[in-house]
Amino acid sequence: MFAMKWLLMAAGFLMFGTAASVVAYDVYLAMQFQKLMGSGEPGAAEMAGPRRPFLRWQLAAKLFGWAWAPVLLALSIAFVPEGSGGVRISQISGVLPGTLFPGVHLVMPLVERVAAYDLRDHLFTTNAVPGASGKSEILSVQTREGLSIGLAISVRYRLDPQRLGYIHANLAQPVDSEIVAPVVSTAFRDLAPNYVVREVFSTKRDEFRAKTTKTITDRLSADGIVVKEVLLRDVHLPEEYAKGLEGILLKEQESERMEFETTIYEKQVRIAELQAEAAKAQQLKRSEADAASRVIAAKAESDAMQYTLPLKQKQIEESRLEAQARKEATVENADAAAQSKVTDSKAEAEKRRLLAAADADTTRLNAAANADTIRLTAAADAERLQGEAAVLKQNPMLIQKIIAERLSDKLQIIMVPTDGRNFFASDVLRSAFSGVVPSGNADEADQDGPAPARKQAQVLKTK
C-alpha cells in the first residue's frame, strides 16, 4: 500500500508535467511562427502553411484535471508504521478524536493529515556524577542536612494510545525533554529534603524510591504518559561524608560482629552447661545401674554357692581318682617300655647277625660270578682272535682298514709320498701282496717272513 501511494503520486506529477509540456510546446511553435511572419522574407507565408498554429488549452486543462485524481487519492492514504500510533489533524476543526493504529488509513486530502507518535517504551536516565558515560543530564538533590547528593535514575514509560489526541493538542513537543525530564527531576528534588543522606543511601532507600515513583506516575498519567518503572541506580555521596559514613558503617559492622560473637559465646557456655548436666545425669544413672547390677550379681552368686560346693567336692574327688589312675598307668607304661627295649635289643642283634651272613654270602657269590666272567671273557677273546686271524689270512687288505680305524681318532690328515718310501704301510702292502701274512704268532712271522713283514708284526704287536 505504501508503494501504491507513491506510484499514484508519481502518476499525478507525471500528468502535471505532461500538461505543462504540451502548453510549452505550443507556445514555442507560436513564437517560431511569429518570428517567421515578422521576418518579411519572400515565401515565408507559404512555408508557414495555410493554417496558423494555436495553443492546445483544452488538452492541457484535461491533463491537469486528470492529474489531480491520483494525487488526491495518494494524499488520502495515510500509513502508520509498526510500534506507532497516529492522530488525525484537520485544518478546519483541529485534532480529531480517535487513535490510528499501525496500518493504512484514509484521510481527507489537503484537509487532514496524520501525526505519528512512537508508542513503544521510552527510557529517561540521569547520571549521579559529571563525566559519566552517555549524554544524560546530571540530577543533584539536597537532603535535610543541606548536602547535595547525585542520583542516577532510570524511568521507563510510554505514551497512552487512547490519549494521543490530548498529548498532541496540549503537551509541548517533544514529550521526552519538555514533560518527562522536568517532572522526574522535580519529584526527586521535592522529596529529597524530607530525608537525611544516610536514609537516602541505605535505610530508607526503597521508601524514597517508592514515593518518588508514585509522584511521577500520578503527574505523568494526568498527561497521558504511562510510567512502568522507576529505578534508583546509584546515590553519589559527598566525598567527606562518604569517608565519615564509611567509618561509621565499619564501626557498626564491628559492633554487630561483637554482638554476634557474644551471642555465640553465650550459646557455647549454655551448651557446655547442658553437656555437663547431661554427663552428670548419665554418671548418676550409670552408678545406680552398676550398684543394682552388683547387688543382683551378689545375690546370684550366693544362690549359686549352694549348688556349687557339692559340685566342687565331686570335682576334687574326680581329680584325685584321675591322678591315681594316671600314676598306675605311668608305672605300667614304664614296665612295658623296659620289656620293649630288651626285646628290641635282641631283635637288633639277630638282625645284625643275619645281615653279616647275607653280606658274606653276597661277597662269595660276587667273587664266583667275577671269576666265571673273567673265564668267559678270556675264552671269548681267544675265540675272537682266532676268528680275526683266520679273516686276516683270507683277506690281507683288512690290515689297512684296521690301522685306519685305530688311528682315526688320533690323526686327521695322512700325507703319503708318491713313491711310497719311508712309509710303514708300503711294507705291509708289499708283504700282503707277496702272500706272507702272520698266521697266529708274531714271533713266527719274525723268523720266517721278510723284514717288512717283521716290522708289520712288531707294529701290530705293539698296538
Side-chain angles (χ1 to χ4, degrees):
M1 186 63 73
F2 186 74
M4 183 180 292
K5 176 180 179 179
W6 287 106
L7 288 174
L8 292 173
M9 292 289 292
F13 284 110
L14 181 61
M15 294 176 71
F16 280 128
T18 304
S21 299
V22 169
V23 173
Y25 182 70
D26 291 342
V27 171
Y28 172 75
L29 292 179
M31 292 176 63
Q32 293 293 329
F33 180 78
Q34 293 294 335
K35 186 177 180 180
L36 289 174
M37 292 299 293
S39 62
E41 295 180 358
E46 291 79 2
M47 292 177 61
R51 296 180 61 184
R52 181 178 179 180
F54 63 93
L55 298 179
R56 293 174 289 181
W57 292 105
Q58 293 181 356
L59 178 60
K62 289 180 180 181
L63 290 175
F64 188 79
W66 283 106
W68 279 105
V71 171
L72 293 176
L73 184 59
L75 293 176
S76 66
I77 298 174
F79 181 76
V80 178
E82 186 70 24
S84 301
V87 293
R88 289 186 179 92
I89 303 171
S90 175
Q91 302 295 332
I92 300 174
S93 57
V95 179
L96 299 177
T99 301
L100 302 179
F101 292 96
V104 178
H105 302 275
L106 297 177
V107 296
M108 187 177 295
L110 302 178
V111 179
E112 296 178 355
R113 64 183 180 88
V114 175
Y117 287 88
D118 190 358
L119 298 179
R120 291 170 293 187
D121 289 351
H122 298 261
L123 188 65
F124 172 75
T125 60
T126 64
N127 293 326
V129 292
S133 59
K135 298 181 179 180
S136 302
E137 66 178 59
I138 307 301
L139 179 59
S140 178
V141 298
Q142 289 186 347
T143 60
R144 187 185 302 171
E145 302 97 324
L147 297 176
S148 295
I149 59 175
L151 300 179
I153 60 173
S154 296
V155 179
R156 188 162 66 94
Y157 64 95
R158 65 181 181 87
L159 302 180
D160 187 358
Q162 304 300 330
R163 302 187 64 185
L164 289 181
Y166 174 82
I167 293 172
H168 182 82
N170 298 283
L171 300 184
Q173 304 295 328
V175 176
D176 296 342
S177 59
E178 297 296 332
I179 303 298
V180 176
V183 169
V184 172
S185 301
T186 303
F188 278 97
R189 289 191 176 101
D190 291 343
L191 290 174
N194 298 326
Y195 298 91
V196 296
V197 176
R198 188 176 180 182
E199 292 175 347
V200 175
F201 181 74
S202 59
T203 57
K204 294 184 179 181
R205 185 168 181 168
D206 292 337
E207 178 185 341
F208 177 67
R209 184 191 62 80
K211 288 185 176 181
T212 53
T213 301
K214 185 177 184 305
T215 302
I216 294 171
T217 303
D218 294 341
R219 290 183 181 180
L220 293 180
S221 62
D223 294 330
I225 300 174
V226 179
V227 178
K228 290 188 173 182
E229 189 178 15
V230 178
L231 300 176
L232 180 58
R233 302 195 317 272
D234 187 20
V235 177
H236 180 70
L237 303 177
E239 184 175 357
E240 295 180 356
Y241 186 86
K243 292 180 179 179
L245 182 61
E246 183 177 359
I248 294 173
L249 293 176
L250 291 175
K251 291 181 180 179
E252 288 182 353
Q253 291 177 359
E254 183 67 20
S255 176
E256 292 177 357
R257 184 182 65 82
M258 293 180 67
E259 291 178 358
F260 183 71
E261 290 179 354
T262 303
T263 305
I264 291 176
Y265 290 151
E266 291 177 354
K267 290 181 179 180
Q268 290 178 352
V269 171
R270 181 59 181 167
I271 291 171
E273 292 177 355
L274 294 175
Q275 289 177 350
E277 291 178 359
K280 182 179 179 181
Q282 291 177 359
Q283 185 67 26
L284 181 60
K285 294 293 184 182
R286 192 179 296 110
S287 300
E288 293 177 355
D290 292 341
S293 63
R294 288 178 182 176
V295 171
I296 295 172
K299 290 181 179 180
E301 187 176 359
S302 176
D303 295 338
M305 287 297 292
Q306 298 177 2
Y307 302 96
T308 304
L309 290 176
L311 294 175
K312 292 292 185 179
Q313 292 177 358
K314 290 182 180 180
Q315 290 177 356
I316 293 170
E317 185 66 23
E318 290 178 357
S319 299
R320 185 179 61 79
L321 294 175
E322 289 177 357
Q324 185 177 357
R326 283 196 296 270
K327 180 179 179 182
E328 293 176 356
T330 302
V331 172
E332 292 177 358
N333 291 334
D335 294 340
Q339 293 177 2
S340 176
K341 287 182 179 179
V342 172
T343 303
D344 291 340
S345 61
K346 290 179 180 182
E348 185 69 22
E350 183 65 23
K351 179 180 178 181
R352 290 179 180 178
R353 186 183 64 77
L354 293 175
L355 288 175
D359 291 339
D361 293 340
T362 301
T363 303
R364 184 173 61 254
L365 292 174
N366 288 334
N370 290 334
D372 293 339
T373 301
I374 292 170
R375 283 194 301 272
L376 292 174
T377 302
D381 291 340
E383 187 178 356
R384 181 176 59 77
L385 290 174
Q386 290 177 2
E388 288 180 355
V391 172
L392 290 174
K393 185 175 181 180
Q394 294 177 2
N395 298 305
M397 294 297 293
L398 291 174
I399 297 173
Q400 295 182 0
K401 179 178 179 299
I402 294 170
I403 294 171
E405 290 176 354
R406 298 291 177 84
L407 296 176
S408 61
D409 57 344
K410 297 179 179 63
L411 298 177
Q412 294 181 352
I413 300 175
I414 301 175
M415 300 181 65
V416 180
T418 57
D419 55 355
R421 296 179 182 178
N422 299 323
F423 186 64
F424 73 94
S426 300
D427 297 337
V428 176
L429 295 174
R430 193 179 297 112
S431 63
F433 285 107
S434 63
V436 180
V437 179
S439 60
N441 194 349
D443 294 336
E444 293 178 0
D446 291 340
Q447 293 177 3
D448 297 335
R454 289 195 300 269
K455 292 180 181 180
Q456 179 183 2
Q458 290 176 1
V459 170
L460 291 174
K461 184 176 182 181
T462 305
K463 192 65 175 178

